[in-house]
Amino acid sequence: LAWGASDVLLPTDITPHGMARAVRHALACRRYQLKIDDQAVFLERIFDALSVGIVTLDEDCRVLLANQVARDYLQLLTRGASQGSLHHLGPLPIQEILKNDCDLSVKEIMLLGTPRRIFEVHATPSLCTCDQEGWTLLLRDITQARQVQETAEKQDRLAAVGQLASGIAHDFNNIMGAILLYSEMILSHADLDARDQERLQTIMEQTTRAAGLTRQILDFSRSGLLEPHRMDLIPFL
């Protein structure tokens, strides 16, 4: 008999009309089954193409379904022991991840080593079958996002240090400018002896050095203008 024809063909239907009806029904069932199979393959491809790992667990924490990304992540998070029931993901016990905590619904898992990997796991209760409760886990690899965040935070800290250094350098430069000005005014008097003139000259030289340090601080804070100049490297050989 044709596929599915035995479900609708009764002994009393062994007639040309009954046989034709059974064959038509079997062909229709076959077409529907092929459509269902095609849809299943299509959904499976979409499921595996997702960039987020999706895992379905039963009430005993056994893996019922996982897309390709989730299978790859589980190999790392369970050290290859992803078959059977899950007991941990990274250093966290699975019960800690599945615990219903409204304040922290997303758990972060860090795998130390080279390279370092950081994952986010979001667990939600779900029905794995019609009459059995389970869990759905969403796994995300946030390693690159965390590296970008840490780099941005370092840049913000450096910018804050630069702004602080710039403010201090400007104030310090004003103080040095006042010292240099009054030193030049005192040095212009003709009644100073040679020893006082030498002392004032030393004050002016040190003030000029301090102004040079101020320019370096401003260059560090990106507030000053960099002026390239030639350097003789022969003395360093």
Side-chain angles (χ1 to χ4, degrees):
L1 293 177
W3 185 90
S6 59
D7 296 333
V8 296
L9 189 61
L10 299 177
T12 56
D13 292 329
I14 306 300
T15 62
H17 177 72
M19 291 289 291
R21 181 172 60 83
V23 170
R24 286 195 299 269
H25 177 76
L27 293 175
C29 291
R30 181 58 176 171
R31 286 194 296 269
Y32 289 138
Q33 184 62 43
L34 291 175
K35 289 182 179 180
I36 293 174
D37 294 341
D38 291 341
Q39 290 294 324
V41 172
F42 179 70
L43 292 176
E44 185 177 357
R45 290 177 179 175
I46 295 178
F47 191 58
D48 285 336
L50 294 176
S51 60
V52 178
I54 302 177
V55 183
T56 301
L57 304 177
D58 63 10
E59 58 184 5
D60 296 324
C61 298
R62 289 191 297 265
V63 178
L64 300 179
L65 183 65
N67 63 351
Q68 183 60 49
V69 175
R71 291 193 292 269
D72 295 338
Y73 290 169
L74 288 177
Q75 288 293 319
L76 296 173
L77 293 169
T78 63
R79 296 181 180 179
S82 59
Q83 302 297 329
S85 299
L86 294 181
H87 301 286
H88 63 87
L89 290 179
L92 292 182
I94 190 64
Q95 297 302 327
E96 179 69 19
I97 297 174
L98 300 180
K99 184 171 63 176
N100 188 11
D101 190 350
C102 297
D103 296 332
L104 188 61
S105 58
V106 178
K107 305 296 191 303
E108 185 174 297
I109 300 175
M110 180 180 297
L111 299 180
L112 300 178
T114 305
R116 183 188 64 169
R117 300 289 293 272
I118 305 175
F119 295 90
E120 276 187 354
V121 182
H122 179 68
T124 55
S126 61
L127 291 176
C128 58
T129 60
C130 296
D131 56 351
Q132 187 181 15
E133 294 184 353
W135 299 87
T136 297
L137 304 182
L138 299 181
L139 306 176
R140 292 184 176 89
D141 187 351
I142 61 170
T143 304
Q144 185 175 3
R146 184 55 54 83
Q147 291 174 350
V148 172
Q149 179 183 356
E150 292 175 354
T151 301
E153 291 176 353
K154 290 180 181 178
Q155 292 177 347
D156 291 340
R157 288 195 295 268
L158 288 176
V161 172
Q163 292 178 356
L164 178 61
S166 176
I168 295 176
H170 281 294
D171 293 339
F172 188 72
N173 196 33
N174 293 334
I175 297 173
M176 292 297 101
I179 295 174
L180 186 61
L181 175 62
Y182 280 99
S183 297
E184 292 176 347
M185 291 174 61
I186 297 173
L187 190 61
S188 65
H189 291 284
D191 55 349
L192 293 176
D193 56 23
R195 187 174 181 181
D196 289 338
Q197 290 181 1
E198 183 180 354
R199 289 174 177 174
L200 284 174
Q201 193 67 35
T202 301
I203 292 175
M204 294 176 63
E205 291 175 358
Q206 297 302 317
T207 303
T208 303
R209 290 186 59 188
L213 292 176
T214 302
R215 285 193 298 270
Q216 293 181 16
I217 296 175
L218 290 174
D219 291 338
F220 171 76
S221 63
R222 305 291 177 155
S223 297
L225 295 177
L226 297 177
E227 297 181 359
H229 59 85
R230 295 181 180 273
M231 178 178 290
D232 186 7
L233 299 179
I234 294 180
F236 297 97
L237 296 178

